[in-house]
């Protein structure tokens, strides 16, 4: 998605140097994908090995000064989530951004993730609803491909902020597929509008320590 | 999805009795969801505990005579997948049915799952592409919401059968949401047609031991 496939991680004197996405080094990245010899290799690792790597990604990568560290986890409440929460606890993370799709089956799973956050003492920054409706590019009619409103209802019941809905947007998925810079090229698209508004809400609610 | 939420699992003299979905007991079901006291409880279990439960679900449930045992796994190649493969190995499973969505990011993940199957000696019955295009109910034009053809291309490269594409179908998701019997009520819908054809291909390729 970030056009970083095949990039290599190097050892520097302060640890692993992350992969930088731009010349200004404004976005740096670390992934198990960079450590595999073959990109199609299955990471058939049991919990303890994964947990050790997650800890290393937090402590042994030369991240430098960061405004934000975003950890993209798999769905669920498993080893990876516990290892991440434990590794980040000393740094007092801002909290969890919880993403669901609108239908009941997904909302049920995500409700368990909210329970996980409460149990582990992780603040919930808010809920985002993804794949929320589809506007036909031919006739401009909007269809709820899945159901609608599950994310907002979940946030209401859990007493956490609802940050917004991101529609299914073929322009976004095509950009990621073909390596376009979605932010530069499609600032008017439905997904861009939704994502900017969500990002702004997060920034507004975040105590910043920027210079 | 199966309308079985809140149902309880009972102990019988041959082990745990699964939950039956119909009077004829033609579909039986076992899920960790039935064992939780509260349905919103997060299953915050580390690998070894999950592995032990997966083994119990295979060996300690009074399944009786089955035509098929379908195990629905989470995405990825993790503890759950290894535990499932190991628990089922003595029963010589027919193989893995691998589901992807069309876009490159998903196909990349699923390629690693095919590597996992090869490493663990699990036959791949075929690849299915899900969320494959959306036919607008207003104007009947079809849009590739994600990209298109990723599943078929993946199957071709891996040398395994491509079993078909299932479109995004609001009728299917609404049925699951509202508890309708999709198979009875919408036999003409695009998702039904696609799913029946895939099921038929699996049956045709499967050596059966039915009476």
């Amino acid at each position: 998605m970030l056009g970083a496939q095949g990039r290599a991680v190097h050892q520097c004197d302060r640890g692993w140097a992350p992969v930088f996405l731009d010349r200004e080094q404004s976005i740096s990245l670390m992934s198990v994908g960079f450590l595999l010899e073959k990109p199609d290799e299955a990471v058939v690792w049991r919990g303890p090995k994964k947990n050790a790597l997650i800890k290393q990604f937090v402590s042994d990568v030369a991240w430098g000064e960061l405004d934000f560290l975003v950890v993209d986890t798999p769905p669920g409440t498993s080893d990876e989530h516990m290892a991440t929460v434990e590794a980040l606890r000393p740094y007092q993370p801002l909290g969890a951004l919880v993403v669901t799709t609108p239908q009941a089956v997904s909302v049920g799973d995500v409700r368990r993730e909210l329970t996980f956050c409460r149990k582990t003492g992780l603040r919930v920054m808010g809920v985002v609803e993804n794949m929320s409706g589809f506007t036909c590019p031919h006739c401009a009619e909007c269809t709820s491909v899945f159901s609608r409103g599950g994310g907002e209802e979940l946030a209401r019941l859990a007493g956490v902020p609802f940050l917004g809905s991101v529609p299914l947007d073929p322009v976004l998925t095509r950009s990621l597929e073909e390596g376009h810079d979605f932010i530069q090229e499609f600032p008017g698209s439905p997904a861009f509008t939704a994502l900017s508004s969500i990002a702004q809400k997060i920034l507004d609610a975040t105590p910043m320590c920027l210079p």
Side-chain angles (χ1 to χ4, degrees), chain A residues 79-94:
Chain A
D79 282 276
E80 297 88 342
H81 306 86
M82 281 184 282
T84 305
V85 167
E86 283 167 19
L88 292 177
R89 202 185 297 280
Y91 305 93
Q92 297 175 309
L94 289 169

Side-chain angles (χ1 to χ4, degrees), chain A residues 165-200:
Chain A
S165 303
V166 183
L168 283 164
D169 186 344
V171 168
L172 172 58
T173 50
R174 207 169 52 238
S175 296
L176 294 171
E177 202 83 346
E178 296 171 2
H180 295 298
D181 187 331
F182 172 71
I183 294 176
Q184 293 297 326
E185 293 184 30
F186 302 101
S189 67
F192 181 90
T193 312
L195 288 167
S196 322
S197 150
I198 291 167
Q200 193 57 53

Side-chain angles (χ1 to χ4, degrees), chain A residues 72-190:
Chain A
D72 180 26
T73 70
T77 54
S78 192
D79 282 276
E80 297 88 342
H81 306 86
M82 281 184 282
T84 305
V85 167
E86 283 167 19
L88 292 177
R89 202 185 297 280
Y91 305 93
Q92 297 175 309
L94 289 169
L97 194 60
V98 176
V99 181
T100 185
T101 53
Q103 67 272 41
V105 175
S106 168
V107 167
D109 281 350
V110 172
R111 192 176 292 134
R112 285 188 283 271
E113 285 172 7
L114 294 173
T115 309
F116 171 85
C117 291
R118 206 172 52 243
K119 275 190 179 177
T120 56
L122 187 65
R123 189 170 80 93
V124 175
M125 302 167 70
V127 172
V128 171
E129 186 177 287
N130 197 13
M131 301 197 184
S132 182
F134 177 68
T135 304
C136 178
H138 302 284
C139 70
E141 288 280 351
C142 185
T143 308
S144 297
V145 180
F146 302 107
S147 65
R148 173 145 283 184
E152 188 157 9
E153 175 72 3
L154 175 67
R156 200 181 58 72
L157 289 173
V160 298
F162 179 66
L163 299 174
S165 303
V166 183
L168 283 164
D169 186 344
V171 168
L172 172 58
T173 50
R174 207 169 52 238
S175 296
L176 294 171
E177 202 83 346
E178 296 171 2
H180 295 298
D181 187 331
F182 172 71
I183 294 176
Q184 293 297 326
E185 293 184 30
F186 302 101
S189 67

